[in-house]
Each structure stands twice: as C-alpha cells, then as structure tokens.
Amino acid sequence: AIPRSSPTQNALLQNTIIDHHHTQIHKDQNMRVSATTSSSSSNMAARVACASVLLLSGTSTSSSSSMMASAFMIQTPKPTRVSPSSSTNQATLVADDMGMITSRSRTLNTPWTRTTPQHRHQEQEQLGEQPRRRRLPLAEEPLPDRRYWRRGTSSAHPNGQRITTELYNAIVTRSHPEEAQEDLGFGQYLECDWRDAWKSYESPADNPTLIDEATGFAEYTCDVEGQLPDDLEGVLYRNGPGKFGVGDERVQHVLDADGLVLRMEFPKKKGPFSRRKVKFTSRFVETEALKEEREADKILFRSAFGTGPAAFFDKDAKKGVNAEPQQRSWISKIFGNAFNMDIKNPANTQVVSHGGKLLALFEAGLPHAMDPTSLKTLGEETLGGTVHSGFPIKFGIDWLDDLTKGVFGGAAHTAHPASCPKTGNLVGWHYTNVLKDNSLELTFTEWAGESFAPIESGTYRVPDMAVPPHDMAMSDNFIMLKFNALKADQQNELLFGLKSPGESITMDGHAPATAWFFPRPTSEHQFEPFSVEVPPCFSVHFANSYEDPETGNFVTFFTGWPPSDRTDLLGAWSGYCPKFGDVPPTYLWRLEVDTKAKKTVSVEIAPGSENVCMELPAVHPNFATSKAENVFSLAGNVAGESTAPTGYTRLQVESGSKRTIPVGEKNEEVDAYWFGSRYFTDEPIIVPKKGGDPNDERDAYLLGMVKDAAKGKSFLSIFDLQNDLSHGPVCKVWTKSSIPHGLHGSFAESDSCTSIFT
C-alpha cells in the first residue's frame, strides 16, 4: 500500500514517465493502488519493463489533485513502488539495496516506503537473486501544468479539445508522437507546450549558469545536426519578447515584455577540411526603463498593451514571471497609473543592421542601438538627427509646441522599415500625433547603406488618422500605408489608468480600410499623397510590393483577417500567451490599386493560398519591390483555422489556382513542411546563397527558429529552397536552452553590412 503523497512527492513523481501498456491499474475504496508488471527473461529486450503507479493527492485543491506517473528500469519481475519525500534535480537516481536513493555525486536520505531493506533482501533470497540496483530516469524540468494538457485552442475550437492518447503519452514520456507529413497540417498542438514557448528567457535546469539572469547574456558554440551549408555565411539577428516580468510579477501582455536579441554567426570556411562552428550570443535590450525596474525589482512604467505599476496596497501581483498574470482591480489601476503617460519602450519587435549600426526597434518609441558583436545596448538612436526624444505628441499650436519642445514634440519610429534591394537604402518613417486636428504627422526618410547618412526626407500630414499602421508596403516609386478601421476613442480610460494605449483603441471589423500613397523620398516620380478606400479587411504584415509592368497598377501581398465582429485590437494576445480561439484566421491577401484612377481594383485571398493560416510572410530579398512567384511564411495549418504555427509554407502567388475550399479541408496543393504537434516555428528569413544567382528567388536558404517542446530546447532550421519545403531542413543548429517565441529578425553578411529582411 502506498500512503497519500505530499506535494513535494508529487513534484518529483510528476517528472517520471508512464507506460500503461505494461501495467494494470486498480484503485480500491481506501485510495490504494496496486500494479502488476510482467516481463520475459527469454528476450533481451524484455529485461527492461515499465511500471505505472497512480497516486492521488490528498490535498483539496484541483491543482494538486493530479495523476502522477512513474516508470523505472526493473531487472526483477517483481515491481517496486517509490514514494520519495523530497525532490532533486539529478538526471539519474539510483535506488540501492539499503533503501537509499543515490545519485552519481551524492546520497539523498530519502527512504523507500514500500518495504524495509530486510524485506527486499528476503524476497530476493527466496527468488535466488542477488541484490542489485535499479536506475530511475528523472527529467531535469518538471512536466507542464496538468491543467493545460489539452489540444490547443483554435478558431473552430475556442476552448480547445480533449487530449488524445498519443499526445498524452508524448507529454509524460517527454517525446514526440509518431506523425507523418500527410497526417499533419490540420493545426494540432498542445496548449501546455504553447504556454511553455512564452516563458521568460532563463537557464535550463541542466545548465543553471548558462544565461545571466539580469542581462540575458549567454555565449557558446552551438551543436550542429546535419551538414552546415558552405555557402551560408554571415550573421543572423533575431528580436522578440524575452523578459516577461520583474520582481516575480509577470507582464499583462506578451508584447509588453522586454526585448531579447539573439545573434548566430556563420563564419567563412577556412579550408576544404575545416569545420565551421556557429557562435551563439544573446542579451536583453537594456533600455533605461529595464535598468530602473531591475534596480527597483518591480514594475515602474506603464506599457503599450496593458502592463503597469500596481497600487501601493496591491499585494497580490507577485505570482512569478512564469505564472498567470494577476488581473488588477480598477481601483488598483487608477492608483498605480492615473495621469502617468510615460509609456515604456521595450524594444522587442525587430532588429536590423544597417550602415554599421544594429538597431532594436519598437513601433511606439525610438530605436535602441546595440553593439553588433557583443549585443551590449548603447542607448537611444536618433538616426542621424532625423528623430528626437520626447512624447510623440504635438498640440498643433505653434507657440505652445515651441514652449513644450523637449517634453512633447518627439517622435516614434516604425518597427518595420524596408530595405530597397536596388539602391541598398534603408527606408523608414516616424510619426507624431497632432492633437488639434486628430491627425498624424509622418516623415519618410531614406538612409545610405554604408554611412547611415540621411539622403532624402519628406513630411506629410494625414487627417483623422490617430492610430499609425504596423507595417508599410514599398515599391520603386510608392510607399503605401494601409490604415485599418481603428479609433483611439477611449482617452478618458487611458488618462485615468484604466486602459493602456493599445486597450484604448477600438476596431470595426466590418468597416472599410484606407490606403494612403506617398512618394518615396528618392524617387523621381514625386506627387501629392492621396488615399484610396479598401474593402473591409485587417492588414498586419506585408510581403513584396511592385508596380505591374503591364498595367502600371500597384500590387502588394499582406497577411490579415477577413471581415469580423472583433472590436479590440490585440486582446487575444493578452494574458499569459496568445489565444488562437480569439484570433480570426490569418490569410495572405493580394491588393491591387489603380494609382492613376486612385481606386481599388481588387482585394482577395492570394492565389494558391486558400485555407492557409499563416503569418510573417517573406520573399527573396532581391524581389522585395518586384513580382515574386514564391511567398514563404510560418503556418499553423492549411485547413482554414487559426492555430499556433508548427511549420513553414511556400505559396505560389502568381501562378497558384483560385478556388474555394471548405474550412476544415486541407489545401493539398501547398508546398509545406510540418515539424509536428510539439514544435513551434518562428518567422522565416530568406538568405541568398553566397555566390548564387541573384535573379533566382529559390537560390537561397530559409532560416527559422523552432521550439522543440519535448526536448525543452530550440534550434535554427535551415531549408535549401532549391528543394521543396516538404523535403525538410538540411540542417539544424541547436541552442543550449529554450528560446521564447520571437517576432522578427534579419541577416547580414557581416557585423558592418546592411542586413536583409522583409
């Protein structure tokens, strides 16, 4: 008989594995468990048998009332039950014949609870056996919170679905279910794994000193699985939320987390027989706000999407940076945030290298410069004096703007500049809100590739548009900003601290959008900006844009949502992690505008992409302002539902078919690769091969970070685009820890070169 286990015992036993195929479980009225295990001594493989033990916690809380499974290598036909009284981080525990659990390095005074050592010796003597040790494999990390052991949420199943037997076994055995490519692509994933992808960046249990807790600094050589391509040379940068709280308090929205920048260097091959080593470096973007909060050990600043300081009397906020964020009362929000309009810039969205500078970007503040090699933060960057610090607000009254200059009148730079493949210029824009007429003052600038010197700029005023767009579309002569149907109409709630800037924005999912066209600063074709009404659809990120050589029309491809009943902007991303049950399916759209007649020609799902739920589109960088046949993206499925990303797709947007596929049915024409239900993919970056054909959009590699939830590690997947994606990656570059789910990145030939990105 096994007594009721303590929470400590549960924590240890939760780290073990179950094989119910070899165990029969019975629970009697006294909450006692018996297990029988059979093994065959005639077969060598049968010498290792698995035993399962079902322990029911004696506590009253639902979180502690969970099944705990244990399995261990047994070399005798008689099972032995284990109920340790304390936990350990040792990778392998050994139960010796004196009733002690030992590791290679030390002995833990943890008694067994089934029998005494004398009883075990008597039983072994009766069987004619010699006393022997039994090894108990114990994982380093605890199993995920059992409350989230279910298939993840989706637009079709907003509350998730019950877990399958295969996925259940995969969790408890820390493995991957057997899945064929033809069976994937429907969007299956585990909710517990998706939450694990949004944990704060920290050292793994098996290497507790790998990552500096304060700065996020880590530096090491990566393990390479497969053959690293010889014609892949340069530096990969990647940015995204990485530090999800401070002082044991988690941010309220994942996009409020401090930025984490990664660097992976692919050196030149020194000789025909030399072996290249990939060097990994990471750091948090150490903004002044991050350093102040780190020093105070608590949240001090309001953030763009919901995070803010707690009231002095609110003592319930600190649950841990990897715990569900505590929802604040309205009175706590007012006392903690009212009239505080100093919004934190976490610098967590994009990272680009240009003209010898490395910039971490966020769309509601100034860029932050970082050292391209060490990733040390150098401070806010004014981009050659084109942007200035201060609140990005003007009153629209000259004398008042002059009086308040330095405090107000600053600018916020976009997180999505564009790189022109024909000139090598970086093209970006910054904005300031003008209160007098509820307008946006926009300034577009082009910077030279070698010196980062400003070449040309143009400033314009857009009336009745208080909310700037997230991304831009650019061709040889045009810059297009597509304004979604958003309104900043809850300013009282914002002022009194009840809502963040993002929460105070409302959207109308059935209202038309507005596309504004501006001339590129360096274009010979200058014109007065104009706007075009676009049928209802919500745009997020743009792929390539071009001026059609036959019609002269402006054509662009973007990811976005169809018309919907949504009224909030990014509410689905609030809480611990994004909830796909609240996100409309994200498709690739094709927009065509007649710039001469100033009217929309068409907006539709891009050819060949029906039912492909995808995001973060990318093309070969040489085709960013040209017609491209292939658009690559991460994808959740090809069945028309909104789910977490588990693979990559290649969409043939110029030659693909136009057809309607019922939601739930796979689009079998799409070239895709699915890693599996327990993997998550990040943004793909397309890198031309060294010495390759610049006019061949498939003479390149696709690079994408992937989280392996079963291993608790991440790797960079490398696809050779001369092959179909369905062939799988040619190489995996493994990191030594789990990397939080990222946003955007870029690739440069060296630290001083201009990076490529889309």
Side-chain angles (χ1 to χ4, degrees), residues 454-506:
I455 301 174
E456 294 287 348
S457 293
T459 300
Y460 309 94
R461 188 76 68 87
V462 179
D464 297 321
M465 291 292 178
V467 183
H470 178 64
D471 200 357
M472 64 184 288
M474 184 182 75
S475 65
D476 290 339
N477 295 294
F478 294 95
I479 293 175
M480 188 200 77
L481 297 182
K482 182 174 174 291
F483 290 83
N484 297 306
L486 302 173
K487 292 183 178 180
D489 56 0
Q490 301 186 43
Q491 298 305 301
N492 288 336
E493 290 89 340
L494 174 63
L495 183 63
F496 284 95
L498 295 171
K499 291 188 176 182
S500 66
E503 292 170 320
S504 64
I505 296 174
T506 59

Side-chain angles (χ1 to χ4, degrees), residues 83-103:
S83 180
S85 60
S86 63
S87 62
T88 177
N89 287 329
Q90 300 298 324
T92 303
L93 300 183
V94 180
D96 67 12
D97 300 303
M98 298 305 295
M100 311 297 287
I101 293 181
T102 63
S103 68

Side-chain angles (χ1 to χ4, degrees), residues 36-58:
T36 61
T37 306
S38 62
S39 64
S40 174
S41 60
S42 62
N43 192 319
M44 196 65 159
R47 294 186 63 182
V48 178
C50 294
S52 301
V53 180
L54 177 65
L55 299 180
L56 300 180
S57 171

Side-chain angles (χ1 to χ4, degrees), residues 67 187 197 337 420 429 567 571 680 752:
M67 286 198 308
N337 300 279
C420 179
W429 54 279
T567 58
F680 299 107
S752 60

Side-chain angles (χ1 to χ4, degrees), residues 271-326:
F273 303 105
S274 64
R275 182 180 179 183
R276 295 192 298 161
K277 296 182 179 180
V278 180
K279 182 181 177 181
F280 174 92
T281 309
S282 67
R283 281 188 192 271
F284 297 133
V285 186
E286 292 190 274
T287 64
E288 290 301 319
L290 179 148
K291 290 188 286 187
E292 289 184 38
E293 290 185 333
R294 184 173 62 197
E295 180 68 23
D297 199 33
K298 64 179 180 180
I299 292 175
L300 300 175
F301 298 93
R302 294 183 70 180
S303 295
F305 297 101
T307 305
F312 65 92
F313 52 80
D314 191 344
K315 306 300 182 183
D316 297 327
K318 296 189 175 184
K319 303 293 184 181
V321 295
N322 290 323
E324 194 73 32
Q326 182 72 21

Side-chain angles (χ1 to χ4, degrees), residues 537-541 558-562 584-589 614-615:
C537 61
F538 188 95
S539 61
V540 187
H541 294 108
F558 66 89
T559 58
W561 309 329
T586 305
Y587 303 125
L588 186 68
W589 297 76
M614 48 82 72
E615 243 297 2

